[in-house]
Amino acid sequence: YLAAALAALFLEEVGTPADRWDTVKTMHAALNQWEAAATKAGTNPADLIATKAQFRLLAGDVDGARREAVTNLNRHPKHVPTMLMLVEFSLVPPADTDRAKQYLDMARKENPEDPRLPYLSASILATAGDWAGAAKVYEQQLDKAPKKAPVYA
């Protein structure tokens, strides 16, 4: 159903969050059907909501995606993927870099080794206009990387 949701999105058949798959084939209907199947399969509820928030963002509903992510974090306060999503949402104009830093600090507290943390830290600095600070974060990451890692091959 996620593939159907993506296809509907590309066809600009977004629909509404109340859509049902048996009556209409929209992105939201596919997501609702996927959510029901994923819930039965035991998927983490926080991951379900985060996925739906990402689809809202893809559909151009930044405010809806942000609301869904905030609600998700309130329900699941240790869900790092949602914290990181909220960092990115906080950088969407009009950016709120202070709020982005708060979410980043929350994520760092829960999972200090998450490889996305430096990238998001640099993004916050760049959004705030601190290009030198952002470059320094990237340079530190390059210094930590193995010289002949397969990723650079």
Side-chain angles (χ1 to χ4, degrees), residues 131-145:
W131 296 102
K136 183 177 179 182
V137 171
Y138 288 130
E139 289 168 0
Q140 288 170 345
Q141 292 306 301
L142 289 172
D143 288 344
K144 289 180 185 178

Side-chain angles (χ1 to χ4, degrees), residues 8-67:
L9 176 62
F10 284 128
L11 293 172
E12 298 183 10
E13 297 291 338
V14 175
T16 68
D19 285 351
R20 293 173 22 127
W21 187 251
D22 57 341
T23 59
V24 64
K25 305 299 187 229
T26 65
M27 179 195 82
H28 281 292
L31 286 174
N32 290 337
Q33 192 70 18
W34 167 78
E35 182 178 19
T39 298
K40 282 183 182 178
T43 302
N44 179 344
D47 292 337
L48 296 173
I49 299 167
T51 300
K52 290 178 82 172
Q54 284 287 1
F55 267 90
R56 280 185 166 223
L57 181 64
L58 289 171
D61 183 7
V62 177
D63 292 334
R66 184 179 286 126
R67 279 192 308 274

Side-chain angles (χ1 to χ4, degrees), residues 67-131:
R67 279 192 308 274
E68 199 143 11
V70 167
T71 299
N72 196 27
L73 189 58
N74 288 336
R75 289 181 185 156
H76 308 280
K78 295 186 177 286
H79 193 247
V80 173
T82 299
M83 293 172 197
L84 298 178
M85 184 185 311
L86 284 165
V87 171
E88 292 177 325
F89 287 166
S90 297
L91 299 178
V92 173
D96 183 348
T97 55
D98 289 336
R99 191 70 177 141
K101 288 176 193 173
Q102 290 173 349
Y103 288 126
L104 186 67
D105 289 343
M106 291 169 65
R108 187 175 283 119
K109 180 181 173 190
E110 291 299 320
N111 187 6
E113 299 303 315
D114 192 298
R116 297 167 289 190
L117 296 174
Y119 165 75
L120 290 170
S121 178
S123 294
I124 292 169
L125 292 167
T127 300
D130 184 358
W131 296 102

